[in-house]
Amino acid sequence: MTGTATTTQRVVTTPLGRRRSDLLTKLPARGALAWVRDGEGLVGWGEVDRFEVTGPGALERAADWWAQRCAATEVVDPLGVPGSGAVLFGSVAFDPERGRSVFVVPAVVLGRRDGQTWVTVAGDDHPEVTEFPAQAADSSIGRLSYADGELDPVTWCGRVGEAVRRIAAGDLDKVVLARDVLVRADHPLDPRRLLLRLAARFPSCWTFAVEGLLGATPELLLRRTGDEVSSRVLAGTAPRSSDAAADTALGAGLAGSAKDHAEHRYAVDSLAAALRPWCTDLAVPSRPSVLTLPNVRHLSTDVRGHLAPGAPGLLELLAAVHPTAAVGGTPRGAALELIREIEGMDRDRYAGPVGWLDARGDGEFGLALRCAQLTGGAGGAEARLFAGCGIVGDSDPMAELAETQAKLAAVQAALQD
């Protein structure tokens, strides 16, 4: 566990009216922090404090650190809306007890909600940023070369087959297996370029960046606003087709797929079971809708509820619900053990919670999916891409491999366009 000593600090939020400039163009090339959807959200830069933690109770210890820091902070915030005032960005390890989770307090936060824009500054050292023109996202990064990650596709399919055998033997009901791919460009990878391209291609997703992990996730793990809590659960995926008739058939196939509905229900039930003890009410639709994105479709369920008095804060709630069956499996313990045994790679912060939290306890955390981890290799020209899929009893290894390829295409297209 690491964290700087907490000292009294002043944080000031200043309303900027209804400015509509692109938030992502304000970011620096290094240390970019972002959580943006459809032009609104938060971006940050500079760093006045950080907290890194691993081991049992990681998120609870992060919550304690943030509470102590907020208690020692003088906040001037005439807006008082979610995301104004003191803000913390976080990126949590998929397995918080084993991996490193990172929380960063930026020196500057630029926010927008319901058309209202504001800037929040912390401390006295406010780094200047040269605006990154949106058209610069169209610049070429040259030739890309790809390499297998920890497992080649044939070996990975073998691991999927092993998971299906374990499910058939009754060891568990579902497990999510992921794979990684390595990419190298001719020129350094500028995170702003990738973020702008992802936001343009997936405006309904949450475009995020924390500690070199950046992407566009369609899945909202938890949002807390006052006593309201909500989540968007995704599980069950079908590819898209450029042929209209074939694309319609693929969508209809997903909507009617017993296999995908069963996989989806595991994810919804695991989230609801973890949240329900802390809620006075929780609305869980009986059937999912179909969420259509440019590269894939997902079965989607929006869960909403109200927290009971005395319910824990957002970070503690994340600890209670993560990992859901959407990114881990069910039963949770058996699925995590199988992932550790056969997946063959360290997920690090892939598929872990990523998002922000303010001093009031409001915040949003999605799951770090459709993402790239900038590794710093080759002078900043290398990255690690991830994709995973849910394995159930009738999963076909080759079909699951194709699903990972469809999901990888989201970041690959942003790199290549």
Side-chain angles (χ1 to χ4, degrees), residues 11 31 39 99 102 107 117 119 204 220 343 383 386:
V11 172
V102 181
T117 303
V119 64
S204 63
L220 182 68
E343 191 172 69
F386 305 87

Side-chain angles (χ1 to χ4, degrees), residues 141 144-145 183-189 374-383:
I141 57 173
L144 298 174
S145 59
V183 60
R184 175 181 286 190
D186 285 343
H187 307 297
L189 299 170
L374 305 184
T375 65
E382 290 184 345

Side-chain angles (χ1 to χ4, degrees), residues 378-396:
E382 290 184 345
R384 188 180 178 212
L385 315 184
F386 305 87
C389 48
I391 311 304
V392 292
D394 55 352
S395 290
D396 173 71

Side-chain angles (χ1 to χ4, degrees), residues 16 28 67 133 145 155 183 220 259 267 282 328:
L16 299 177
S145 59
T155 303
V183 60
L220 182 68
K259 178 259 188 189
L282 193 67

Side-chain angles (χ1 to χ4, degrees), residues 257-301:
S257 167
K259 178 259 188 189
D260 287 294
H261 276 264
E263 178 188 340
H264 186 81
R265 180 47 53 181
Y266 287 135
V268 172
D269 289 348
S270 69
L271 176 90
L275 270 185
R276 195 167 278 118
W278 306 110
C279 293
T280 57
D281 62 87
L282 193 67
V284 183
S286 59
R287 286 186 62 82
S289 60
V290 175
L291 175 67
T292 299
L293 298 173
N295 61 322
V296 293
R297 286 187 176 90
H298 298 290
L299 294 180
S300 173
T301 295

Side-chain angles (χ1 to χ4, degrees), residues 8-311:
T8 301
Q9 187 179 69
R10 195 166 191 258
V11 172
V12 180
T13 293
T14 303
L16 299 177
R18 304 187 73 82
R19 302 183 187 181
R20 290 299 301 173
S21 59
D22 194 324
L23 295 177
L24 294 171
T25 64
K26 310 303 181 185
L27 288 169
R30 292 189 177 184
L33 299 162
W35 181 263
V36 175
R37 181 174 185 256
D38 200 20
E40 297 200 338
L42 301 172
V43 297
W45 58 88
E47 183 177 307
V48 296
D49 212 349
R50 72 162 41 219
F51 186 77
E52 298 183 12
V53 62
T54 189
L59 289 174
E60 290 83 354
R61 285 183 284 149
D64 289 343
W65 174 82
W66 179 236
Q68 292 171 19
R69 199 181 194 290
C70 289
T73 301
E74 176 192 356
V75 178
V76 179
D77 178 13
L79 286 177
V81 299
S84 65
V87 169
L88 177 72
F89 284 82
S91 178
V92 180
F94 170 75
D95 188 343
E97 295 193 359
R98 297 189 176 194
R100 179 181 66 105
S101 300
V102 181
F103 298 90
V104 178
V105 181
V108 181
V109 175
L110 187 63
R112 183 176 298 128
R113 174 179 288 268
D114 298 328
Q116 170 69 57
T117 303
W118 67 89
V119 64
T120 299
V121 296
D124 300 318
D125 184 17
H126 307 145
E128 294 292 329
V129 174
T130 300
E131 183 161 341
F132 184 78
Q135 60 268 27
D138 296 329
S139 60
S140 174
I141 57 173
R143 182 179 57 88
L144 298 174
S145 59
Y146 291 93
D148 293 334
E150 294 299 322
L151 297 180
D152 63 79
V154 173
T155 303
W156 188 82
C157 285
R159 303 295 169 89
V160 172
E162 174 61 21
V164 170
R165 287 189 287 274
R166 300 287 187 93
I167 292 168
D171 295 351
L172 70 169
D173 298 312
K174 172 189 172 181
V175 64
V176 177
L177 293 182
R179 53 188 288 257
D180 62 339
V181 173
L182 307 179
V183 60
R184 175 181 286 190
D186 285 343
H187 307 297
L189 299 170
D190 191 316
R192 299 168 297 184
R193 179 184 183 276
L194 187 54
L195 290 170
L196 283 164
R197 288 180 168 218
L198 287 169
R201 184 171 173 81
F202 302 98
S204 63
C205 293
W206 289 268
T207 302
F208 63 88
V210 179
E211 193 80 352
L213 183 70
L214 45 100
T217 180
E219 188 153 359
L220 182 68
L221 180 57
L222 278 182
R223 173 193 291 126
R224 179 172 181 168
T225 307
D227 70 345
E228 296 181 357
V229 64
S230 60
S231 176
R232 171 168 289 177
V233 182
L234 303 182
T237 303
R240 301 292 309 277
S241 173
S242 58
D243 177 79
D247 191 53
T248 299
L250 287 168
L254 176 64
S257 167
K259 178 259 188 189
D260 287 294
H261 276 264
E263 178 188 340
H264 186 81
R265 180 47 53 181
Y266 287 135
V268 172
D269 289 348
S270 69
L271 176 90
L275 270 185
R276 195 167 278 118
W278 306 110
C279 293
T280 57
D281 62 87
L282 193 67
V284 183
S286 59
R287 286 186 62 82
S289 60
V290 175
L291 175 67
T292 299
L293 298 173
N295 61 322
V296 293
R297 286 187 176 90
H298 298 290
L299 294 180
S300 173
T301 295
D302 288 338
V303 176
R304 295 183 174 86
H306 291 85
L307 296 169

